[in-house]
Amino acid sequence: MSFVHLLRAEWTKFRTVPSWLIGAVVAILVLILIGLVSALGSHAVAAGPGGRPRQVLLGPDGRPVQDDFTFVRRTLTGDGTLTVRVPALTGGETGLEQWAKAGLMIKANTQPGSPYVAVMRTGAHGARMQYDFSGDIAGPASAQWLRLTRAGSHFTGYASSDGSTWTRIGTVTVAGIPATASAGMFVTSPPVEVYEQHFGSAEGNMYPTQATATFDDLTVAGALGADDWQGGPLADTPGQVTRTGDAFTVSGAGNIAPNHPDGNNAVERTLVGTFAGLTVLVVLGVLFVTSEYRRGMIRTTFAASPGRVRVLAAKAVVVGAVGFVAGAIGSAIALPLCRHVLIRNGNLVFAVTTGTEVRLILGTAAAIAVASVLALAIGTLLRRSVGAVAAVIVLIVLPYLLSTAAVVPADAARWLLRLTPAATFAVQQSVTAYHQVEGVYTPALGFYPLSPWSGFAVLCLYAAVAFGLAAVVVRRRDA
Amino acid sequence: MTAAIRAEWTKLRTVAAPLWLLLGAIVLTIALGAAAAASLHCTGAACGVDRTRFSLAGVQLGQAVVAVLGVLVVGNEYSSGMIHTTLMAIPRRSVALGAKALVLTGPVVVAGLVAVAGSLIAGDRLVSLAWTTGSTLRAAAGSVLYLALIALMSLGIATAVRDSGAAIGLVLGLVYLFPILASVVSNPHWHKKVEQIGPATAGLAVQATTDLKDLPIGPWPGLGVLALWATGALALGLATLRFRDA
């Protein structure tokens, strides 16, 4: 029998058992409904003004950003160079934050979220050049002098420890900064995030911090506007500017960086029903083979097509395809539907690119498909449905539960999500961990130790090994 | 009833699987509990967390094995057709199911005692527990009862569903999905509600020894919720047995 015939035979077996077809539909429904229940049960406690959903500030590339700082600026038209010395950068009562920033900036305008290029000294990470919120280039470890040059849309940052020998940090091209832009000195200091883990729950709390910097020896080559230096916080963060002759003392709070959402406002929470759908498909995957053993049908199957591994492969293709289609339909409906409900309930849901949405949906479908194949393989090995179903669910769902529902400490949780098939849920991570943004990046808040597709590969590895073992066993063992 | 219990006991002890499953439940419970306690990297009150609860975290894994046993006690009879013989010998459905429930509970309680004692001894060596307090005893006794109730709930669901594969999927779904669902329901009121009605989220509240006021539900009322689940499942199973042909 050709493989196509085998596939047709196995597909016929699947589709002609009504309870299995119902099972596949149930998998889709629970995937959507569990997400819907979680969305409906998530009325935001503190919604935005007028009960409308809170808005999140978006950067030039449409991704969420934070843009709070104190800015002392003038308009600069055309090309130019700013040079300044920052002899002191100090923290407030809680000390200097490692990502406190003070330096020079050229920004499209004073609207939060507009494009910018900046060169700065930081609390503990030396001189840096940063641009458009996510761009970050490391410079010399210690530098008091900073220089920022504009040539059209090309910007170059320099740092120096003495004001005479300069080190070039980098040159970047940033579109969207008009010929007449705001240029000047800025200070900001990010809030510290304190992470508290209790048994079964975890939360991160933000506490604001402040930094103060002195600037002197400011020189500007270029066409400055007629108004004198003026400054203050851009948003409603605290900050002050005092001027003594040519020296400025500037204090500020906030951050100029990508905004990183936690698990509560990341879009993947709409896919929480994945676990319910996956459980149903694991049962189907196991039953697809164990019921043949139970009823003796397997002997007919193997008599009709003696190539047992090919039979197993055909079964795997069928359950994998069913799992993929069910997962894709379920998550393609659940994601937009639950996001709509969440936003209507006043929740903040961070926007993601279409590519990320597609990855979340297809990744979920692929994870369910491979989990179904793993279930089929373990069902073949054990020939008993109960043990096989329990084994697969314990392998996939329990590690996820232990690590993301904050049962075990973050370190142990990261190892669980590297070593067990639960690593595959990294395909659902939409949030990004930025090295230049201090934050709590734990599994309980949605940050996986592995990248999406390498996490998925861990599950594939388990499925491949189980399938290989099943293939060996099914050839050696009498049916 | 005595005869029914003896019959069920003979069925249980003369096959190898239940013994292996109970041993597996003990080993896995202690192993995961010890691993969870070891992951704390601290001992004594300095940890600032509920060390007893960490030491008993293995129940999360042990319950899956106990659920398998609970499902198999009746599921195997349906798949082998043995259920016809059983019901012919004991025509009263309530007696048949009651005998199964009693025979299942005994060994699970014994295995639970060993598993919980082993977990606490391992936990004490790793993070030094406060043995003498009543709350530790409550957590220990409650964990044993928890395992027994999970087994009974599994028995009830398997009797109602009849297909053992679907039954174990349903049991583990109920046990594991509520905590995951609770972790994404952000409204505090509904978050608490989800934790109060889930069999595992409510039932495992009995393991808490510190910060009892932060629990979604009190330790014993939480175990009561699981008892309701088990009772409901058994009632459903009994109804299925009575009103449907085997």
Side-chain angles (χ1 to χ4, degrees):
Chain A
M1 219 191 315
S2 77
F3 193 68
V4 177
H5 281 103
L6 264 180
L7 275 180
R8 275 190 62 185
E10 292 301 331
W11 169 238
T12 308
K13 279 184 209 166
F14 189 92
R15 72 178 167 80
T16 50
V17 178
S19 58
W20 290 351
L21 276 187
I22 294 172
V25 175
V26 166
I28 298 174
L29 289 179
V30 290
L31 204 165
I32 300 167
L33 286 177
I34 299 273
L36 205 55
V37 166
S38 92
L40 288 169
S42 294
H43 285 278
V45 182
R52 275 169 294 139
R54 280 176 294 164
Q55 294 296 314
V56 59
L57 182 64
L58 298 180
D61 58 358
R63 287 194 289 184
V65 298
Q66 319 166 55
D67 204 9
D68 301 315
F69 59 101
T70 305
F71 195 19
V72 183
R73 72 269 178 185
R74 289 174 78 170
T75 55
L76 175 68
T77 304
D79 296 346
T81 296
L82 293 92
T83 307
V84 78
R85 189 171 80 108
V86 190
L89 174 62
T90 54
E93 291 163 17
T94 52
L96 181 62
E97 269 308 296
Q98 53 172 324
W99 281 107
K101 302 165 186 174
L104 297 168
M105 179 185 286
I106 297 176
K107 189 169 170 67
N109 50 52
T110 52
Q111 286 297 313
S114 62
Y116 74 92
V117 178
V119 58
M120 68 203 71
R121 62 177 283 195
T122 61
H125 297 278
R128 320 281 297 194
M129 182 170 182
Q130 296 189 345
Y131 54 99
D132 277 5
F133 303 96
S134 53
D136 177 50
I137 305 168
S142 66
Q144 289 196 352
W145 290 83
L146 301 167
R147 175 174 286 168
L148 181 59
T149 300
R150 174 177 192 177
S153 58
H154 305 290
F155 297 82
T156 307
Y158 302 88
S160 164
S161 50
D162 53 12
S164 53
T165 45
W166 289 89
T167 310
R168 192 177 69 93
I169 303 176
T171 300
V172 296
T173 307
V174 173
I177 300 183
T180 299
S182 294
M185 299 155 285
F186 76 97
V187 175
T188 192
S189 178
V192 277
E193 193 170 11
V194 177
Y195 176 67
E196 286 169 31
Q197 178 172 333
H198 312 285
F199 199 95
S201 69
E203 56 183 334
N205 287 314
M206 306 283 251
Y207 298 100
T209 66
Q210 210 169 354
T212 306
T214 44
F215 296 84
D216 55 23
D217 288 326
L218 174 69
T219 53
V220 182
L224 284 174
D227 296 337
D228 198 8
W229 295 101
Q230 52 159 328
L234 271 202
D236 51 3
T237 48
Q240 279 184 336
V241 181
T242 47
R243 183 174 180 174
T244 321
D246 281 341
F248 295 84
T249 304
V250 183
S251 64
N255 206 354
I256 315 165
N259 199 342
H260 73 94
D262 60 30
N264 266 337
N265 39 30
V267 70
E268 56 263 36
R269 61 171 298 183
T270 58
L271 296 176
V272 64
T274 303
F275 302 95
L278 184 133
T279 301
V280 176
L281 280 158
V282 163
V283 171
L284 288 184
V286 166
L287 287 184
F288 195 46
V289 62
T290 56
S291 61
E292 289 216 21
Y293 276 105
R294 200 175 106 193
R295 300 184 198 287
M297 175 75 178
I298 194 82
R299 289 191 280 272
T300 316
T301 305
F302 285 158
S305 46
R308 295 182 176 185
V309 177
R310 288 170 71 222
V311 173
L312 204 59
K315 281 188 178 297
V317 170
V318 169
V319 290
V322 170
F324 188 87
V325 171
I329 296 175
S331 44
I333 297 174
L335 192 146
L337 179 68
C338 301
R339 177 169 56 195
H340 174 78
V341 174
L342 280 171
I343 292 173
R344 208 198 56 199
N345 277 349
N347 293 282
L348 195 62
V349 180
F350 278 69
V352 293
T353 59
T354 312
T356 306
E357 276 180 28
V358 170
R359 192 245 297 161
L360 257 60
I361 291 168
L362 294 185
T364 302
I368 291 179
V370 177
S372 312
V373 174
L374 175 67
L376 178 88
I378 292 188
T380 310
L381 283 171
L382 299 183
R383 287 189 283 190
R384 306 291 291 269
S385 46
V386 184
V389 170
V392 178
I393 293 177
V394 163
L395 268 176
I396 301 182
V397 180
L398 183 60
Y400 175 84
L401 168 69
L402 292 176
S403 44
T404 58
V407 175
V408 296
D411 289 339
R414 288 196 188 95
W415 279 111
L416 277 177
L417 293 175
R418 282 189 191 106
L419 299 178
T420 68
T424 190
F425 295 113
V427 295
Q428 294 189 336
Q429 178 179 331
S430 75
V431 292
T432 317
Y434 293 95
H435 69 269
Q436 77 271 32
V437 186
E438 210 185 338
V440 182
Y441 300 122
T442 66
L445 295 174
F447 295 92
Y448 287 80
L450 295 178
S451 71
W453 295 113
S454 45
F456 175 64
V458 173
L459 173 65
C460 290
L461 198 66
Y462 271 87
V465 169
F467 189 86
L469 285 176
V472 170
V473 164
V474 89
R475 283 175 67 161
R476 295 202 174 161
R477 196 170 61 185
D478 289 337
Chain B
M1 184 76 185
T2 325
I5 292 173
R6 278 189 62 181
E8 289 301 330
W9 174 240
T10 308
K11 276 191 237 166
L12 192 74
R13 76 180 162 78
T14 50
V15 285
L19 184 65
W20 286 113
L21 284 172
L22 290 170
L23 287 176
I26 293 171
V27 171
L28 290 175
T29 303
I30 298 175
L32 180 62
S39 74
L40 285 175
H41 300 301
C42 59
T43 62
C47 289
V49 293
D50 193 338
R51 285 161 288 139
T52 308
R53 192 163 193 182
F54 267 89
S55 310
L56 291 172
V59 169
Q60 291 272 14
L61 181 53
Q63 66 181 353
V65 188
V66 165
V68 167
L69 181 62
V71 167
L72 282 182
V73 163
V74 64
N76 267 354
E77 295 214 4
Y78 274 104
S79 56
S80 63
M82 177 76 177
I83 189 78
H84 303 293
T85 318
T86 303
L87 293 180
M88 213 185 311
I90 316 167
R92 287 198 59 171
R93 287 2 186 196
S94 55
V95 174
L97 188 62
K100 280 191 183 299
L102 281 175
V103 164
L104 172 67
T105 309
V108 169
V109 166
V110 173
L113 279 171
V114 178
V116 166
S119 302
L120 289 178
I121 291 169
D124 186 49
R125 293 189 75 113
L126 289 162
V127 291
S128 77
L129 305 178
W131 281 101
T132 47
T133 56
S135 53
T136 304
L137 285 176
R138 181 183 58 216
S143 298
V144 176
L145 290 176
Y146 175 88
L147 288 173
L149 288 170
I150 289 288
L152 289 174
M153 182 174 91
S154 311
L155 173 68
I157 288 180
T159 314
V161 177
R162 293 187 184 196
D163 184 289
S164 13
I168 189 70
L170 197 55
V171 172
L172 295 184
L174 286 172
V175 164
Y176 289 140
L177 294 181
F178 274 93
I180 294 176
L181 178 62
S183 69
V184 297
V185 171
S186 57
N187 182 287
H189 174 74
W190 289 107
H191 177 86
K192 203 172 164 183
K193 276 276 177 287
V194 170
E195 294 199 316
Q196 281 171 341
I197 59 170
T201 42
L204 285 175
V206 83
Q207 291 188 332
T209 62
T210 59
D211 299 319
L212 293 189
K213 61 180 192 318
D214 294 337
L215 287 176
I217 188 166
W220 292 119
L223 204 61
V225 170
L226 177 61
L228 282 179
W229 276 94
T231 313
L234 284 172
L236 205 64
L238 185 59
T240 316
L241 267 185
R242 284 182 88 127
F243 300 116
R244 241 176 87 175
D245 291 336

